[in-house]
Amino acid sequence: MGKVWLVGAGPWDAGLLTLKGKEVLSRAQVVVYDRLVGPGILSMIPENAECIDVGKQAGNHTMPQEEINQVLLREALADRRVVRLKGGDPFLFGRGGEELELLSRHGIPFEIVPGVPSAISVPAYNGIPVTHRDQVSSLHIITGHKKKGEPYDLDFDALVRTKGTLVFLMGSAALPEICKGLLNAGMDPDMPAALLQQGTMAGQKKLLSTVSLLASEAAKSTVATPAIILVGKVCSYGEAFGWYEKLPLFGKRILVTRPRERSGTLAGRLRELGGEVLEAPAISTVLTPDKEDLLRELERLGEYDWMAFTSPAGVNLFFDELREQKKDIRSIGRAKIAAIGPGTAKELEKRGLNVDAMPNIYDGQELGKLLGQVLQDKERLLIPRARKGNPQLIQEIRKQKEVEIVDLPIYDTVYGVLEHQGAVDVKAWCEKGDKVMAVFTSASTVRGFAACTQGMDYRLVQALCIGKQTRAQAEKLGMETFTSKEATIDSLVELAVEVSACSRKDGS
């Protein structure tokens, strides 16, 4: 028999998923998810897990609740680890209790992983404390959803008498009725109120008003869902305490395309600056299945004068295989080490190897020029790299020196990885709303992205590129391109901030 975990995913921002929620999700065999789970969290679903979209939303239930309950039971009885991933918290208008009733009757083991409720986090992202010692002493969370054609079954008189903060979830469609009900129950027409749209998302907006004017002012603008209604004196702090919208990347949707094992630091930096980040690796690197040449070279590493590495992936795959063959760095003997850039050098340093040569411009052509200067005639050079490596690297060396070069293909670059993230439609995510930023750390990531998003209008993409070769690849697709000053994560982050600032000035 399997087990079910009810996991609260929080409001949307991937950074608000709890540590336990992330750990449970990483071990899931089946993930049953709904519409309010952010794509940044969905992208964390293991590649080999089955994804079941139950996508409930008002007026359009992809799957009825009773059927969702049966899905959880069926998958658990099939001896699988099932994660029921819900927006917000599973027990706060999430119908988690209904799902547990069926599981409990059949003796299915389960756990609850609470999530950060949108009723608290969305106001917080808008600078509104739901409680304040000088203003209110209670908080009341109310479902704003009602059945079509039926009146509200709410005791507005009781809500007004609480004199507390009122949070209405799923109620934007009934905003006029809610405000009218509160006013008819005697609420002060000048009571501060707010409509908070798409909280913690790139499209976050807030409308600060009073309970008497909120509905009419909201009608003048397009209300984007999800949205919550907040009524109470604490709404008056929304202007002074606003912080999220002041972050330099607020309002920007940013796609990070580098391989998953190397995307974390960059994605984290961009999130800290306010960007809505989706980690969607466009490529992956796999050790070549035919290892005969690699194994031969591992046996004679001590014969080489130099070794040159052209990517962090190459470093890791090469030395992991060295260890697999019961060898260690002593095997490289007297060989000096060259790296194409600081990212590659950092991975070498983790292995206890200092770099002897690294070009000022981090690409294959410049590495070749540098090696042509530092190598001596008749020396032997080993280059463990991708099967389709930059030919300019070797060409530039041979222009200057007569050396023995072994160009050793140790891994293949696999394109189209995005297609395996079944829970996230990356192409649709990129095409919604304003232009999306995409961070490309190699020409390969551009090609991989294109392979997964065929038919897309690439003019919608602001491509943040790590070098001229990457930029050239993006320009071929018609993207608006920008190049970082240096081939480093810090420089890419700085570029994102600069492009965001320019976009705000231009109004785009």
Side-chain angles (χ1 to χ4, degrees):
M1 183 180 296
K3 184 173 179 177
V4 176
W5 285 262
L6 264 62
V7 177
W12 191 266
D13 184 347
L16 296 181
L17 178 66
T18 66
L19 292 174
K20 185 170 183 178
K22 185 176 182 180
E23 190 274 331
V24 168
L25 184 60
S26 71
R27 296 185 288 109
Q29 294 175 306
V30 180
V31 180
V32 182
Y33 64 95
D34 62 37
R35 182 181 71 97
L36 293 179
V37 178
I41 295 172
L42 294 177
S43 69
M44 300 178 190
I45 296 174
E47 185 176 330
N48 58 354
E50 179 183 354
C51 299
I52 302 176
D53 179 7
V54 297
K56 295 197 309 175
Q57 64 185 80
N60 181 21
H61 286 200
T62 300
M63 186 179 292
Q65 183 62 53
E66 294 74 17
E67 190 174 340
I68 295 173
N69 301 345
Q70 291 294 334
V71 167
L72 298 178
L73 176 62
R74 180 192 71 211
E75 297 299 330
L77 288 174
D79 196 27
R80 307 177 82 183
R81 294 191 299 273
V82 184
V83 169
R84 173 66 171 107
L85 196 58
K86 293 172 169 287
D89 180 89
F91 279 2
L92 183 59
F93 303 131
R95 303 185 75 170
E98 296 175 49
E99 295 172 355
L100 291 188
E101 286 177 358
L102 182 63
L103 299 176
S104 183
R105 286 201 303 270
H106 287 80
I108 302 296
F110 57 81
E111 286 188 28
I112 314 301
V113 182
V116 178
S118 60
I120 297 173
S121 56
V122 170
Y125 266 53
N126 283 275
I128 301 175
V130 291
T131 64
H132 191 290
R133 184 174 181 179
D134 297 332
Q135 304 287 1
V136 294
S137 58
S138 63
L139 167 66
H140 309 270
I141 304 173
I142 309 107
T143 176
H145 179 70
K146 70 181 183 69
K147 292 184 179 180
K148 189 175 182 180
E150 294 185 11
Y152 261 118
D153 185 20
L154 288 179
D155 189 341
F156 286 105
D157 292 298
L159 291 174
V160 172
R161 286 197 302 271
T162 66
K163 298 181 180 180
T165 301
L166 307 179
V167 181
F168 295 87
L169 302 179
M170 303 170 288
S172 57
L175 176 59
E177 294 175 74
I178 292 172
C179 292
K180 182 179 179 181
L182 294 172
L183 290 169
N184 289 342
M187 179 169 280
D188 181 355
D190 293 327
M191 177 65 71
L195 181 64
L196 309 178
Q197 306 174 31
Q198 297 189 340
T200 81
M201 304 180 189
Q204 175 175 302
K205 295 180 182 178
K206 61 184 169 188
L207 175 59
L208 301 175
S209 184
T210 63
V211 72
S212 61
L213 298 176
L214 184 62
S216 60
E217 292 183 1
K220 298 174 185 177
S221 62
T222 302
V223 178
T225 58
I228 72 173
I229 302 163
L230 200 65
V231 180
K233 295 179 180 179
V234 292
C235 293
S236 61
Y237 294 102
E239 203 64 58
F241 290 177
W243 62 274
Y244 188 44
E245 62 267 32
K246 296 177 183 178
L247 295 177
L249 294 180
F250 170 74
K252 293 298 179 182
R253 293 176 301 114
I254 308 173
L255 191 74
V256 175
T257 61
R258 68 192 322 211
R260 182 173 298 280
E261 65 273 11
R262 297 194 51 77
S263 66
T265 301
L266 174 58
R269 293 278 302 280
L270 297 171
R271 287 193 181 104
E272 286 177 4
L273 295 173
E276 180 186 326
V277 180
L278 176 60
E279 294 177 64
I283 62 171
S284 66
T285 52
V286 294
L287 191 68
T288 177
D290 181 7
K291 299 194 295 184
E292 182 178 344
D293 290 343
L294 172 58
L295 295 178
R296 183 184 65 249
E297 297 305 328
L298 292 181
E299 291 297 327
R300 59 179 195 177
L301 289 179
E303 300 175 12
Y304 287 98
D305 302 289
W306 280 86
M307 296 176 64
F309 292 91
T310 61
S311 70
V315 173
N316 291 325
L317 289 170
F318 181 84
F319 284 101
D320 285 348
E321 185 60 31
L322 187 68
R323 183 173 55 188
E324 184 72 19
Q325 299 303 319
K326 308 302 181 185
K327 300 176 183 294
D328 58 30
I329 60 172
R330 290 174 294 182
S331 302
I332 69 174
R334 57 186 172 82
K336 293 182 179 179
I337 306 293
I340 197 168
T344 304
K346 185 176 180 180
E347 293 304 316
L348 287 162
E349 289 168 2
K350 289 180 182 178
R351 307 279 178 168
L353 295 168
N354 291 325
V355 172
D356 299 290
M358 184 173 69
N360 294 322
I361 299 175
Y362 311 132
D363 63 29
Q365 183 177 10
E366 295 300 317
L367 177 59
K369 290 179 180 179
L370 177 61
L371 287 171
Q373 296 170 13
V374 299
L375 284 163
Q376 302 299 316
D377 286 329
K378 307 304 181 182
E379 284 193 318
R380 305 187 73 224
L381 167 67
L382 177 66
I383 310 176
R385 59 173 179 167
R387 186 178 302 278
K388 295 182 179 180
N390 184 345
Q392 290 182 306
L393 170 56
I394 294 177
Q395 291 169 4
E396 292 295 336
I397 297 172
R398 295 202 186 283
K399 285 180 183 178
Q400 301 181 62
K401 297 286 172 59
E402 292 185 9
V403 295
E404 181 183 342
I405 301 174
V406 175
D407 189 6
L408 178 65
I410 65 169
Y411 67 89
D412 293 298
T413 301
V414 180
Y415 299 139
V417 181
L418 296 181
E419 295 176 337
H420 300 303
Q421 298 192 165
V424 183
D425 187 338
V426 176
K427 181 173 178 286
W429 185 84
C430 291
E431 291 178 331
K432 74 174 185 179
D434 298 328
K435 285 187 175 182
V436 64
M437 285 185 179
V439 183
F440 297 112
T441 54
S442 68
S444 295
T445 57
V446 181
R447 289 189 289 268
F449 175 73
C452 304
T453 56
Q454 293 181 15
M456 179 180 169
D457 182 357
Y458 294 111
R459 292 174 297 178
L460 299 173
V461 178
Q462 292 180 318
L464 310 185
C465 305
I466 204 165
K468 60 183 182 181
Q469 293 174 348
T470 305
R471 179 171 184 164
Q473 194 69 43
E475 287 177 341
K476 288 181 182 178
L477 296 171
M479 297 179 185
E480 182 182 6
T481 59
F482 306 87
T483 308
S484 59
K485 295 176 182 177
E486 298 179 356
T488 64
I489 296 302
D490 288 343
S491 190
L492 278 172
V493 172
E494 291 172 3
L495 178 62
V497 172
E498 291 172 6
V499 172
S500 177
C502 291
S503 297
R504 290 184 182 183
K505 290 179 181 179
D506 296 340
S508 59

